[in-house]
Amino acid sequence: MGTMSTSAQYRVDRLVTAGRSALYYEDFVLSIKYFNLAIGAKPYLYEPWYYRSVAKFNLDDFTGAESDATEALHLNPYINDIYDLRAICRIRQNRFDDAIADYNEAIRLEPRNRNYWFNRAICQMENKKYEAAQQELDTIVEKWKDWSNAYSLKAEVYLHQKDTVQAEKWLDKSLQLNPYDGDAWTTRAYMALARKEWKTADEALTKSLHFKCPWEGRKSVGPRIGSRKMIIALQLPE
């Protein structure tokens, strides 16, 4: 009996390893086939569910990815990366309240991950909860004073609040910290266009296009929400 159990475990381990390898080489359909077999053999292991969720996410099957992430969390509710994954799936479905709930858990488990705080602030902004977003960003700025993304997002929230003076102030701070931020230059161009400052808008838009990398991939950069990119820390297994 012990030999059979060991043999079964070895088989499942090999299936998961093969699936992770397929994920690494971005053969997501093949990886799902391996994880299906692993789940069929041992449905109580959280890892195959988690990795299959990653594969489905990369195939833009956000409903399926969310479902698998939920099952993985049911089996192991202590993995912050899975909450992050499910949150992004929910964001892709415009379910920002549910995503915020996931980031609450992710931050509880790993409060040092600034991306979780940042994405939660974007969700607050998209929910039109601008004061909550500003409070979130104040916390981020206090914790990570040199992170330009937080400053430019504060500027964007101020624009939603129709406060162009504060928006300009925070955007200037952002660009002082990182003059190569294409998203920040996009916001600067938008503000200049609103004021009919055509030359300034043209210069800002030129810089925006110059600094935005055309090779940015889905593994490191998230979906665009408004003019702002979500930050996804999904890393394919090595």
Side-chain angles (χ1 to χ4, degrees), residues 97 99-109 120 124 136:
D97 281 329
I100 288 169
D102 277 337
Y103 280 122
N104 291 343
E105 290 301 312
I107 290 169
R108 181 180 64 82
L109 292 167
R120 187 169 69 176
Q124 300 282 16
E136 189 94 66

Side-chain angles (χ1 to χ4, degrees), residues 77-118:
Y78 304 107
I79 309 296
N80 50 287
D81 285 342
I82 306 179
Y83 286 105
D84 181 32
L85 171 58
R86 189 171 68 174
I88 296 296
C89 293
R90 289 172 166 179
I91 287 167
R92 284 295 188 102
Q93 299 171 74
N94 295 319
R95 290 164 47 208
F96 299 108
D97 281 329
D98 291 333
I100 288 169
D102 277 337
Y103 280 122
N104 291 343
E105 290 301 312
I107 290 169
R108 181 180 64 82
L109 292 167
E110 181 46 83
R112 294 170 297 179
N113 189 317
R114 65 186 187 181
N115 294 343
Y116 298 163
W117 295 81
F118 184 83

Side-chain angles (χ1 to χ4, degrees), residues 7-234:
S7 176
Q9 182 61 49
Y10 176 69
R11 178 174 177 272
V12 170
D13 288 346
R14 288 188 64 182
L15 288 169
V16 172
T17 299
R20 291 180 62 179
S21 179
L23 269 183
Y24 179 79
Y25 289 105
E26 300 188 14
D27 191 339
F28 304 118
V29 174
L30 178 60
S31 72
I32 288 173
K33 292 179 180 178
Y34 283 121
F35 297 133
N36 286 345
L37 292 172
I39 289 168
K42 293 201 172 183
Y44 50 84
L45 298 177
Y46 84 90
E47 284 188 318
W49 292 97
Y50 170 43
Y51 290 129
R52 192 172 72 174
S53 177
V54 173
K56 289 181 178 181
F57 176 87
N58 279 280
L59 292 171
D60 293 341
D61 178 7
F62 305 120
T63 301
E66 179 189 354
S67 177
D68 282 356
T70 298
E71 183 60 31
L73 286 169
H74 174 72
L75 295 167
N76 188 342
Y78 304 107
I79 309 296
N80 50 287
D81 285 342
I82 306 179
Y83 286 105
D84 181 32
L85 171 58
R86 189 171 68 174
I88 296 296
C89 293
R90 289 172 166 179
I91 287 167
R92 284 295 188 102
Q93 299 171 74
N94 295 319
R95 290 164 47 208
F96 299 108
D97 281 329
D98 291 333
I100 288 169
D102 277 337
Y103 280 122
N104 291 343
E105 290 301 312
I107 290 169
R108 181 180 64 82
L109 292 167
E110 181 46 83
R112 294 170 297 179
N113 189 317
R114 65 186 187 181
N115 294 343
Y116 298 163
W117 295 81
F118 184 83
N119 287 354
R120 187 169 69 176
I122 292 181
C123 290
Q124 300 282 16
M125 181 181 73
E126 290 302 313
N127 261 351
K128 297 182 171 36
K129 297 177 181 177
Y130 302 126
E131 288 301 325
Q134 293 288 18
Q135 291 173 11
E136 189 94 66
L137 289 163
D138 286 340
T139 300
I140 295 172
V141 169
E142 184 178 343
K143 288 176 175 288
W144 297 283
K145 292 181 173 58
D146 297 329
W147 196 26
S148 65
N149 286 15
Y151 292 79
S152 59
L153 184 56
K154 274 189 73 71
E156 193 167 334
V157 176
Y158 274 121
L159 282 177
H160 283 288
Q161 295 175 299
K162 313 300 183 185
D163 189 339
T164 56
V165 173
Q166 285 295 324
E168 192 82 39
K169 170 186 169 183
W170 284 93
L171 194 60
D172 285 343
K173 289 181 179 180
S174 172
L175 289 170
Q176 286 172 9
L177 288 168
N178 180 12
Y180 309 108
D181 183 350
D183 285 331
W185 284 111
T186 298
T187 304
R188 170 58 55 81
Y190 169 81
M191 294 175 65
L193 284 172
R195 293 194 297 261
K196 298 183 179 181
E197 297 173 355
W198 312 120
K199 182 179 179 181
T200 300
D202 181 65
E203 291 173 351
L205 187 58
T206 298
K207 289 181 178 180
S208 169
L209 295 171
H210 177 71
F211 292 131
K212 285 182 180 177
C213 300
W215 57 82
E216 285 178 333
R218 70 195 305 166
K219 286 184 288 185
S220 60
V221 179
R224 182 170 292 278
I225 303 294
S227 66
R228 178 65 42 190
K229 291 192 183 79
M230 305 297 296
I231 298 178
I232 300 183
L234 288 181

